[in-house]
Structures are given as structure tokens and as C-alpha cells.
Amino acid sequence: MNLLEAIRTRRTTNGYFKPDPVSLEHQRLLVEAAGRAPSHFNSQPWRFILIDDEKIRTRIAELGGECMTQLIDEGKFFSRYKKYFRFDEKEMEERRDGILIDQLPAPLRPFIKQIFSDTALKVMRGLGVPKLLGSDNTKLVSASPLILAALLKKDEYIPGELSGFYCVLSLGMAIENVWLTTGALGMGIQFISTPMEIPEAWQEIKQLLKVPDDMELMAMYRIGYTPDKRDRPRIDWTSNQRKRLSQLAFRNTCETPESDAPSALDEFEK
Ligand SMILES: Cc1cc2nc3c(=O)[nH]c(=O)nc-3n(C[C@H](O)[C@H](O)[C@H](O)COP(=O)(O)O)c2cc1C
């Protein structure tokens, strides 16, 4: 796969993977690709945990689902993230950011315009949506053959200091390498982020993974081989829209937006 094609076709996978285990060769390739990323003074402040143990994956999946249920039931998920939700293709076409919710269960569709209101939350609770989404998430994560945890060494990762910022930047680049490599190997990847939002759950995962005191658990991803045919989840979105050049870049100073031009990357889109 050519690099530009890999960049253009990189996606988040929010559906199921094939049940096949990720080969050891591929697992090692993913972390080797991560380790090839640049870092300040070649400090390589990252560490990774390759989790294929079923018991550990199952517990992470349960926690992920429970956290999702809690976040939705308490209304925290929507209040925190509502600014990223688009329900209207026209708005998406203009802004070209956020996620366009283009698949919803029929009973929820009439509430689309007031999806963030207290009434909608009550309806969702009444329909058992928080539990449903939580259990969907648990199934999705537990069926993923590999979970990758990303850590930073605390002697480098010092929040508030420049080295803390450099570490996060470096880890982002390492993760992008993993992400692009999954695409080249016929695999997909998705953040498992809900436990990060509930401190007790995150703490339990750190204990489960035996993260030592001198390391910080930063993020977790589920990884697997992508199926030939993708079934859309109950609630689904598209997020392949990207800003135009004129919305994304300036020429020389922030006063002059870059001119728009036909996309050179679009030809790789499937
Ligand atoms: C820091 C960060 C956090 C993210 N958190 C989540 C997440 O919690 N769940 C998820 O499904 N995707 C998550 N994503 C993926 C983004 O939603 C996704 O990259 C974006 O919508 C663009 O879609 P694409 O990756 O398919 O191009 C995250 C991405 C980043 C960089």
C-alpha cells in the first residue's frame, strides 16, 4: 500500500472484527512501527502492552460497557461532546468537522432535533438506550482479539512541562504509525475511551495491567482484522469529511486563507 493511499483510507473501525487472533508477527509489527516514530531527543518515552489474554480483554470490555452506560445515563456523554455531533448533512458539508449521526434506531429518530434535551434523555432512559449501548460496547470490545495499551514513562511525561507536551506529541505520532500499519495489514483499530472518563474504572484497568508507579496508562485501542462486509452498528456515524484547504491552512499569515484546490488525495478513497 502506498503511503498517500494509507493516509487517505485510514479510518476508525467502529464495527466488529473477524474473530481470528492477530498473528504474533503482526502484533510485533504494530509495536515496531510505533517505536519508529520521532520523539524528543530520541527519548522513546512510550511503552505498549499487547493484550491478547481473554480474561483481561473481557474485564476491560465489561468496564468499557459499564462506563458507557453510566456516562450516557447521567447525560455526561452528550453534555461533554454535543459540540461534535452533526445531524444534518448540510451543516456537515459546510463545517466539515465532527461526526454525522446518519444511523439511529427508529424510535429515536423523531427526537433527533432535541437529542441533547432532558426530554430526549428521559426517552432514551425509558427505552433502555444507555444499557443497550453499554452492552453493545462490551460485546464489541470483548470480541476484539487484541487490545493495545499505550503508556508513557513518568520521568518524561510531566504534565505542565514542555517534556510532557513533547511526550504526548510523540505518542500521538507513534499511535498514528500503528493506525496506518493496521490499514496496510487488513486490520482496523478503535479507541476504547469510556473507562478513561471514570477514574475508578481507569484505576482498575491500571491494576489489571499491573502498570508500575513510574508509568502512566495513556490510552487503549481494540484491534483486529476487518471483515469483508461491514454491518453498521445500531447507532452509527460518518466522520470521513475533512476541512477544505481554505478552512485548514493559511498562506504566510493567519490573515490569508490558503486557496482551495482539487483534492490530490481523494483518488485513493474507496
Ligand atoms: C485523541 C482521540 C480520541 C478519540 N476517541 C475516540 C473514542 O473514544 N471512540 C471512537 O470511536 N473514536 C475515537 N477517536 C477517533 C475519532 O473519532 C476519529 O478519528 C474521527 O472521528 C475521524 O474519523 P476517522 O478516524 O474514521 O477518519 C479518537 C481519536 C483521537 C485522535
Side-chain angles (χ1 to χ4, degrees):
M1 186 188 256
N2 127 347
L3 174 67
L4 293 180
E5 183 185 2
I7 291 172
R8 183 62 174 96
T9 55
R10 185 211 52 76
R11 284 283 171 285
T12 294
T13 305
N14 62 358
Y16 280 88
F17 298 125
K18 284 182 184 167
D20 318 33
V22 176
S23 74
L24 196 55
E25 183 200 348
H26 284 169
Q27 294 189 28
R28 290 179 171 158
L29 192 54
L30 292 174
V31 284
E32 211 184 306
R36 281 277 147 196
S39 58
H40 53 298
F41 292 94
N42 196 24
S43 54
Q44 303 171 57
W46 47 62
R47 295 292 181 272
F48 298 94
I49 312 176
L50 292 157
I51 307 157
D52 55 9
D53 179 90
E54 194 180 342
K55 254 171 82 183
I56 302 180
R57 285 188 294 112
T58 304
R59 185 61 194 142
I60 292 174
E62 285 166 0
L63 284 166
E66 285 163 18
C67 293
M68 164 116 25
T69 298
Q70 188 180 332
L71 290 166
I72 293 187
D73 194 58
E74 290 172 353
K76 282 188 186 150
F77 184 82
F78 291 119
S79 64
R80 248 172 227 167
Y81 300 122
K82 65 180 170 193
K83 69 174 184 174
Y84 304 112
F85 283 72
R86 315 268 171 268
F87 297 101
D88 177 9
E89 283 191 30
K90 208 168 138 253
E91 186 194 6
M92 182 50 125
E93 185 49 34
E94 279 159 19
R95 295 191 49 145
R96 305 185 72 80
D97 63 12
I99 62 172
L100 177 69
I101 306 294
D102 57 356
Q103 174 145 311
L104 269 178
L108 286 179
R109 274 178 226 146
F111 300 95
I112 191 88
K113 293 275 180 233
Q114 313 104 40
I115 197 89
F116 299 119
S117 66
D118 287 346
T119 317
L121 190 60
K122 277 187 200 135
V123 172
M124 280 199 258
R125 282 192 196 122
L127 292 169
V129 171
K131 273 224 162 79
L132 211 60
L133 290 179
S135 77
D136 279 1
N137 189 256
T138 294
K139 283 185 213 144
L140 194 68
V141 176
S142 61
S144 306
L146 182 68
I147 293 177
L148 180 73
L151 312 144
L152 281 174
K153 286 175 62 234
K154 280 189 186 164
D155 59 345
E156 290 292 337
Y157 175 59
I158 306 167
E161 287 193 13
L162 202 51
S163 89
F165 168 68
Y166 285 160
C167 277
V168 173
L169 204 58
S170 304
L171 184 61
M173 292 188 258
I175 297 296
E176 176 71 346
N177 279 3
V178 173
W179 212 311
L180 293 173
T181 306
T182 59
L185 299 175
M187 294 195 270
I189 179 166
Q190 185 182 31
F191 256 88
I192 305 171
S193 60
T194 52
M196 295 180 79
E197 307 207 27
I198 312 251
E200 298 76 23
W202 202 235
Q203 192 53 37
E204 185 179 331
I205 292 176
K206 283 192 212 176
Q207 282 164 1
L208 198 62
L209 301 179
K210 303 194 194 308
V211 174
D213 287 345
D214 60 351
M215 283 196 230
E216 193 60 71
L217 177 62
M218 300 300 291
M220 281 191 310
Y221 303 83
R222 57 178 201 96
I223 294 176
Y225 296 103
T226 41
D228 306 324
K229 197 181 153 290
R230 174 181 172 260
D231 289 325
R232 297 198 82 186
R234 236 187 282 262
I235 296 184
D236 201 13
W237 65 87
T238 57
S239 54
N240 58 342
Q241 300 83 352
R242 289 297 189 273
K243 293 208 173 278
R244 295 188 188 86
L245 280 178
S246 60
Q247 297 172 309
L248 176 70
F250 302 99
R251 179 65 58 181
N252 295 317
T253 72
C254 291
E255 288 184 338
T256 315
E258 177 65 356
S259 307
D260 282 320
S263 166
L265 283 176
D266 271 356
E267 63 183 277
F268 296 114
E269 187 69 354
K270 285 176 190 146

